[in-house]
Amino acid sequence: MSEAARVRDGQGVSAVPASRFAGLSRAQLAVVVPELLLIGQLIDRSGMAWCISAFGREVMAEIAIEEWAASSPIYTRRMQHALGYAPEVAGHGDVPTIFKGLQLDIGAPPQFMDFRYRVDDPWTGEFHLDHCGALMDVEPMGEEYVRSMCHDIEDPTFDATAVATNPRAQVRPIHRPPRAPADRHPHCAWTVRIRDDHPPVSGIPLLAVNEASRAASLELAPIEPGGPGLDDYAGPLLSDLDFTAFSHAALVRIADEVCLQMALLDRAFGLAVGKRATDVDQLLAIRRKQLTGIAGVASARLARALLAPASVAGAMSVLAVHPLFNPAAYVTASFDAASVTVTPGPAHEDDAWISLCGPDWTDALRAAVGGVDLHLDVAVSPVPAAAGTGAGWRADVVRRDEPVREADEVAVVRFSTGTDFAFETRRSLPIFVV
């Protein structure tokens, strides 16, 4: 693939940087995509721990509601259009469209959040969770935290996600935790109904703020047909997405979209925390802790998935596909054998993760290479502004004789069962109307 994919935008031809995921094989991408979805889910295991510490459980729940409600409608619509299953008439999508969106949502990573679907007709369906990794993480914290997640947070955020497809969709519980009896299975069950007499759901105020971000409208290269595999998800709803069935081009686009989901979620997180922080220093401290934790865990999972060696070369291969540096159209960076150079781009305009990093603060970069091998470290130096670019920085990956200690922020995320969760191979079957 060339350095820049040529994309028609209706008013001419514009250059879109080629995806960094394009360098992976189709088989590698089929492994990496579910990893990215799970990494997106683990962002909250990092961020919310520090929100509880700073503000308490109840305010943490408020932040979580605003974070998801201000991001999921944006990225749900993006994925619909990218994979060709958007409603023919905006806002008039059906239940299978909602379910397809959940299967490609960092809020519902496959198997870890094991959604099982039933469709009664285009406007009526149900789902239950055979396994809820989030519940497994929260149950040990006590019933108050379970209620915060499964009641206070889920009620508004499920509807907020559905509004991207149809504002008259309602997601309502059949049963949900706290579990009674304690081993109740499935973990929860919900109905999804779309009715003309349902009052339409509207977005929260922060949604409009996030919709104005560069991430929300970022142009990515379209999926060019021609290779083996599916180029879209326009067919029937499937019980489990078999990512090996998608084409290389489709998987590349999905990977980039999932990284954008994380960027939009993090931006909404920053907006929600910023409303409650005592000052900009507290906001910055919480955002940095969140990033450090997820940076280390993401690298560890990606390194295992890609069988990356515990070396400088292995770290570079992981950094190239790490959410911190993707998508390429969002984060302006160049990679060589042992370093990455970052210059200001769209992600900096959004105050995204990469904008937190640099010579003055290296914790997240150190955690990212440490996730591959704790003997690895970074040496970060400023890079003067060049023609057409602003001043940036360069991170050289180096190997130390003695391992560094894993960051406390990474250890906090390891509390989640998602850090060591193993995906299994499943058969993908079409779901028909009952």
Side-chain angles (χ1 to χ4, degrees):
M1 197 169 183
S2 62
E3 291 185 2
R6 307 303 294 180
V7 179
R8 296 194 176 277
D9 61 7
Q11 298 178 350
V13 179
S14 61
V16 176
S19 172
R20 296 190 182 100
F21 292 99
L24 299 180
S25 70
R26 185 180 170 205
Q28 287 175 315
L29 285 164
V31 173
V32 164
V33 165
E35 288 290 341
L36 291 171
L37 287 164
L38 179 51
I39 289 165
Q41 168 71 199
L42 295 176
I43 292 172
D44 268 3
R45 300 304 173 274
S46 184
M48 292 309 163
W50 307 107
C51 290
I52 293 169
S53 176
F55 309 117
R57 176 183 57 82
E58 293 180 351
V59 174
M60 175 277 296
E62 294 173 1
I63 291 170
I65 291 168
E66 293 183 5
E67 168 197 45
W68 289 98
S71 58
S72 64
I74 303 172
Y75 64 64
T76 297
R77 293 189 189 102
R78 285 190 60 99
M79 193 69 82
Q80 288 174 352
H81 288 284
L83 290 185
Y85 64 93
E88 290 186 9
V89 179
H92 289 75
D94 58 12
V95 167
T97 303
I98 293 173
F99 289 167
K100 286 182 179 182
L102 288 173
Q103 291 176 322
L104 292 159
D105 190 320
I106 58 175
Q111 300 182 29
F112 183 69
M113 307 288 285
D114 198 7
F115 282 66
R116 304 289 89 198
Y117 301 101
R118 189 182 89 181
V119 179
D120 298 325
D121 60 58
W123 316 111
T124 309
E126 293 183 8
F127 64 82
H128 66 264
L129 268 71
D130 270 353
H131 173 81
C132 178
L135 178 65
M136 299 298 96
D137 292 346
V138 171
E139 269 190 334
M141 300 171 67
E143 185 171 309
E144 285 188 338
Y145 281 92
V146 172
R147 286 192 177 276
S148 288
M149 181 179 74
C150 300
H151 293 247
D152 301 338
I153 297 172
E154 292 292 21
D155 283 349
T157 55
F158 267 142
D159 279 356
T161 298
V163 75
T165 301
N166 194 312
R168 296 188 187 276
Q170 289 186 353
V171 183
R172 298 293 181 264
I174 300 170
H175 70 83
R176 56 179 162 177
R179 291 192 286 170
D183 60 350
R184 184 170 187 173
H185 190 269
H187 290 167
C188 64
W190 303 73
T191 62
V192 182
R193 296 188 177 96
I194 300 171
R195 301 289 185 269
D196 289 341
D197 59 352
H198 286 171
V201 177
S202 56
I204 67 170
L206 283 186
L207 174 60
V209 179
N210 215 10
E211 285 176 330
S213 67
R214 290 295 304 274
S217 59
L218 189 75
E219 183 182 15
L220 295 174
I223 298 169
E224 297 289 349
L230 299 171
D231 293 319
D232 57 42
Y233 192 11
L237 172 70
L238 301 171
S239 59
D240 293 277
L241 279 188
D242 177 8
F243 291 103
T244 66
F246 285 98
S247 68
H248 182 272
L251 289 167
V252 167
R253 179 61 183 266
I254 294 170
D256 276 339
E257 290 289 351
V258 173
C259 288
L260 271 185
Q261 289 186 16
M262 297 187 223
L264 286 161
L265 185 74
D266 172 64
R267 190 167 190 273
F269 175 78
L271 292 169
V273 173
K275 289 171 56 178
R276 296 159 175 88
T278 55
D279 52 39
V280 294
D281 290 337
Q282 185 183 38
L283 170 61
L284 180 61
I286 291 173
R287 290 197 64 209
R288 282 177 166 177
K289 288 178 179 295
Q290 178 237 46
L291 173 55
T292 301
I294 195 61
V297 168
S299 282
R301 288 203 63 97
L302 288 170
R304 287 198 298 268
L306 293 171
L307 304 177
S311 64
V312 171
M316 293 308 303
S317 68
V318 169
L319 292 182
V321 296
H322 196 290
L324 176 61
F325 294 97
N326 284 285
Y330 192 56
V331 181
T332 306
S334 59
F335 293 78
D336 62 26
S339 69
V340 54
T341 301
V342 173
T343 53
H348 285 77
E349 295 178 40
D350 280 352
D351 195 25
W353 278 336
I354 198 68
S355 70
L356 304 178
C357 302
D360 296 332
W361 185 72
T362 62
D363 291 8
L365 297 171
R366 298 182 73 190
V369 297
V372 179
D373 185 348
L374 288 174
H375 286 85
L376 298 176
D377 200 353
V378 292
V380 186
S381 55
V383 172
T389 68
W393 48 264
R394 171 181 168 133
D396 292 283
V397 181
V398 296
R399 186 169 188 86
R400 307 295 188 194
D401 291 336
E402 297 296 326
V404 300
R405 187 176 69 87
E406 182 178 74
D408 292 340
E409 293 88 344
V410 177
V412 165
V413 188
R414 291 196 185 282
F415 169 80
S416 171
T417 57
T419 57
D420 294 318
F421 183 81
F423 294 102
E424 62 183 26
T425 301
R426 291 186 176 180
R427 188 179 179 191
S428 184
L429 299 172
I431 297 176
F432 298 106
V433 173
V434 176

